[in-house]
Amino acid sequence: MGTKRAPVAMPQHVAEAELDQLYRDEALGMTRLAFLMLGRRDIAEEIVHDAFLAVRPKLLAGELSRPGAYLRTSVVNGCRMWLRRRGIERRHQPAPPAPTDARDDEVALHLALRTLTTRQREAVVLRYFADLPETEIAGILRCRPATVRSLIHRGIAVLREELT
Amino acid sequence: MTELLDPEIRDVMHRLAERGVSSVEFMTAAASTAVDDREVDIDLATLEVSARRRPILAVAAVLVLIAIVAAAVLASGSSGPRPVEPAGTTLQWRQLAPSPLSPRLGSASVWAGDRWFIWGGSATADESRSYPGDGATYDPASDRWALVPDGPLSGRTLADAVWTGGEVVIGGGWSGTGDSTRPDLAAYDPATGTWRALADAPGPISRLEMVDGVVVATVAWNERMSLASYDPGDDSWSTPVAADLTVGPAPSFESRQHYATLGGDRYVAGDNRLYRNVFGRDPLYELSDVLQFRSILATERELLVVGQGAVGDNRDDRRTVVRYDPATDRSRIFEVARSDPGIATTTLAGNTVALVPNLSGDTVELFDLGTNRWIDAPEAPVAVGRLEPAVVWTGRELLIWGGATQVEAEAPLAETATGAALRIDDLSPPELVDEWREIAPSPLSPREEHVAVWTGTEMIVWGGRFQGGGTVVENEDGSVSVSGSAREGDRLTGLRDGAAYDPSTDTWRRIADAPFEGDYLHRAVWTGTEMIVVGRDRLVEEPDAAAYDPATDSWRTITAPPIDRGLHEFELLMIDNGTLLLFSGSQNNATTAARVDAYDIDADRWTPRAIFSGVTRINEAVVVGDEVWATGEERQADGSVVTIDLRSTNRGESWGWSPFGFTPSPDSTTGVWIAEVDGDLVTVAGDRRTDAVTTFWDINADGTPLVGGNSVRSTTETARSLPNTGFDFLEQIDPVVTDDGALIIVGVLTESIRRGPDGGWRSIGDPPVSVSFGHSGVWTGTDLIIWGGRADENGGSSVATGAAYRPG
């Protein structure tokens, strides 16, 4: 008798300030991460915006001890969901164009990233752009660190082959 | 371009990202431009949307708001994988500051928004009991206590308390006199520090709950137990909440009933039985009679019933958590042996069930709902094993205070005023529902076209062959992988080893080697006690046939089927507990007719049942009622192959097979698979000409189940087309039918799909391991487990990885 559960709500002004800081710290990097995943800036912005919307109520409810990590996972999941929804259409469309002012090696990488599987691209971008350790990437991708190592190894091998 | 080293790839990647996104304009300049067009403001700090200036444009604002809310819902996981915080287990105790309350047990307590409210209880005083009527609040953020002013209620023990959002309502309990709990209540406002008395409930109060914002009391009187709801408007109680719950004797406050409300239903657990809405008759669930339920906890979608008891000669205590899902009426039980004497109380602590031990015990027991595993918490700074403590979950910490403890085994019970807090962070992700997860690495080498069966507790994987020209590497975690790719002409190696995977522990065990090597021509079926494998090596005259018994980890050779060497494509079907049907054929042999033979397991005897003239092979067969329905291929005079279907009633020696004619577009389909889904026979077919279209049919046009009892209602056989999946696939494992009638198909080259209760299809996403073809799949009753196969449809090597998908 007498056992109850209840969340610890963070005072709203504290949560808002934390969200504001989170946005200042993470929005640009998250959008770039999504851009590398998708090759498209417009969709990357949409997905990052959606991810911030998802973070807010959880931040207010005091459910997040690492909001940045939650945000990153939301962005990766959002990218994956978008790619999945594109399904067949994606396979029959040309790769999105590289930024107009990109250098040759950047264009090559932009195209080479599109040749990776979704999971290889996720692992490579999280490791080489977000600088995450393998264990954290494994947490985001819901797989084992050994699998992350394998995805990165194979992904980098493909990139090297495409870029040479 | 010269070969890039890793740091160079990192550098180019950063430059590309910066080139692609130079700033986050969508939240600043670009967004405000877009937002201005819609005449709404977005507060960048809060991401809130509001209409502005011209009221006529409020509709546009609402539309934008709806879109953003919908996006938020989407992003929060309602239609896709829910993000979880990365794992970083924290289980850390701290001792609470000394409280101003005297030692006691049986206090009422509730989490009141930002502080813990504790009131009442009982204590030993001069060899008699006292019932203090004072209380206090505890703020975990500052680790400080504050006394609560005296209120209108007399002191009592085992009262209950709920938090309405503004007030603590406390009532019931036993004040040391009489034979029932008390009906009176009071409300305390922590903001003003004031009490007010409420109208008495219509009977002795056993429990208070908040149901849809209303205070609901479980009351028992005149040998009836019922619910009463409180109306704060006129300070009165009414009892229309539910019909009487009791058909047997009413429980007293000393009885062991436990209550929970979920989805509008009222659940009561008493002794070893769980009831829904009516107590004492037709239990919903029944534990072994040596176990007793100790509490019911309700999450948003399932009921967690915690039990304990002694099982076996060694008298070990057991802990049991039954996870009951009312939506599927499915129960899963998770048990662990403990040497501690019992449970004092339980609470839901985030994604964990916390069990506070009774009297002895240095820490709490935790059951992780994410992984269905029991977890050992570290030792607490004070003994937390105590009788009738106050326990609450704050959202971050499990707080335990008061109760009675026993310093030594023979020492008398003594009330305590000590407390402790256990911080529980990110113990595990939420249970993976509607998501894929990777399973543990297997001890097997990579392979494809192997067989797999589900025994009820394990997935047995056996045989297959290895395609690869690379190097087999043993990884740090014990798994095996292959580096490098297969090349044209690489040898396919047959394998005779296997392993069994237990999803409840996420572990594998090797099994004994079979008497023959696997090939892509073997099929397996689970008989209930054995896995029977039948097939052949194309280069050997005699077919293979053996049975594996997991109880003895041994194989026995059985009589081989009477089929000649030209037949080497098989389908194996268990039609009852004692008989198997083996369909055999050959796609490449124009002169050999497919046939079916029956195998009597007990007699170890094969009997020919039919020869299908003109039929090259049978793709799939299923049992529907007392009939067997099959699809296959028939060679035409011009050499083309069309899809055919056959049905036969199981009539012992006199089976007759006849076409049933619902296969769609027989001249344009390939790879027809069939499955029974809630009495419908569903066919799954790819388009032979384009390999791009999938058509689904069932034969239940009016929604009436085809199967009534054990017979097929042939009068309702009209074909209708189900919605096209919208996904292309060339080949797939057998469709998996879940308990709720959904159909799951793991495709090749594309997303896996699932047909929901509404008949529509949706993607279930990519498994976290690469699969292309040649993998196995089993349905465990809760999960689809896939393993092995080839990762790359254009070549590559076999793999030794697997994943599980649990439908939401």
Side-chain angles (χ1 to χ4, degrees), chain B residues 252-269:
Chain B
S252 72
F253 78 99
E254 293 176 323
S255 63
R256 293 287 184 180
Q257 277 77 37
H258 308 275
Y259 317 101
T261 302
L262 178 63
D265 286 317
R266 176 76 165 170
Y267 294 87
V268 183

Side-chain angles (χ1 to χ4, degrees), chain A residues 1-10 12 16 19-20 23 27-29 31-33 35-36 41 44-46 48-54 56 58 62-67 69-70 73-74 77 80-81 83-88 90-91 98-99 101-110 113 117-119 124-125 127-131 136 139-144 146-147 149 151 154 156 159-160 163-164, chain B residues 1-6 9-10 12-28 42 44-48 68 71-72 74-76 79-87 109-111 113 158-162 206 208 298 345-348 350 391-396 423 426 429 432 435-441 476-477 482 506 726-728 749-751 763-769:
Chain A
M1 177 177 286
T3 58
K4 303 287 187 294
R5 67 186 288 236
V8 173
M10 187 181 292
Q12 180 146 343
E16 302 293 7
L19 184 67
D20 184 59
Y23 172 76
L28 181 58
T31 310
R32 287 172 171 167
L33 186 145
F35 168 76
L36 290 171
R41 173 184 176 149
E45 290 176 348
E46 280 183 25
V48 173
H49 191 191
D50 288 350
F52 271 101
L53 286 169
R56 183 174 183 271
K58 291 188 171 294
E63 295 176 7
L64 299 179
S65 62
R66 298 177 63 195
Y70 184 91
T73 306
S74 291
N77 283 348
R80 191 182 309 144
M81 290 292 289
L83 290 168
R84 186 179 301 159
R85 283 197 296 272
R86 299 283 291 184
I88 299 167
R90 186 180 74 244
R91 286 196 286 273
D101 55 346
R103 290 165 40 174
D104 287 349
D105 57 354
E106 294 164 8
V107 172
L109 180 64
H110 178 81
L113 282 171
T117 66
T118 301
R119 292 183 68 76
V124 167
V125 171
R127 184 73 188 93
Y128 280 78
F129 176 73
D131 288 326
E136 195 155 346
I140 294 172
L141 301 188
R142 297 282 175 80
C143 63
R144 294 163 203 288
T147 305
R149 283 195 291 277
L151 289 169
R154 288 166 188 264
I156 289 296
L159 290 184
R160 281 196 185 123
L163 293 172
T164 51
Chain B
M1 183 181 293
T2 56
E3 182 176 307
L4 286 171
L5 300 175
D6 288 359
I9 290 181
R10 186 191 307 267
V12 178
M13 191 176 291
H14 277 266
R15 279 193 279 114
L16 173 62
E18 289 162 15
R19 192 91 59 192
V21 185
S22 57
S23 64
V24 281
E25 293 172 354
F26 75 98
M27 287 290 185
T28 55
I42 292 183
L44 295 182
T46 63
L47 300 174
E48 285 177 342
I68 290 179
L74 186 69
S76 64
S79 63
R82 289 165 301 176
V84 295
E85 292 192 75
S109 87
V110 68
W111 182 248
L158 298 175
D160 206 357
V162 293
S206 296
L208 294 175
T345 186
T346 64
T347 193
L348 200 56
V391 178
V392 80
W393 171 244
T394 70
R396 290 179 187 273
R423 175 79 181 257
D426 304 336
L432 301 179
E435 284 186 51
W436 288 96
R437 65 183 186 280
E438 195 175 357
I439 65 172
E476 293 173 7
D477 58 7
V482 178
D506 195 26
F727 297 105
D728 58 326
L749 311 182
T750 183
E751 292 89 344
S763 168
I764 58 172
D766 303 321
V769 296

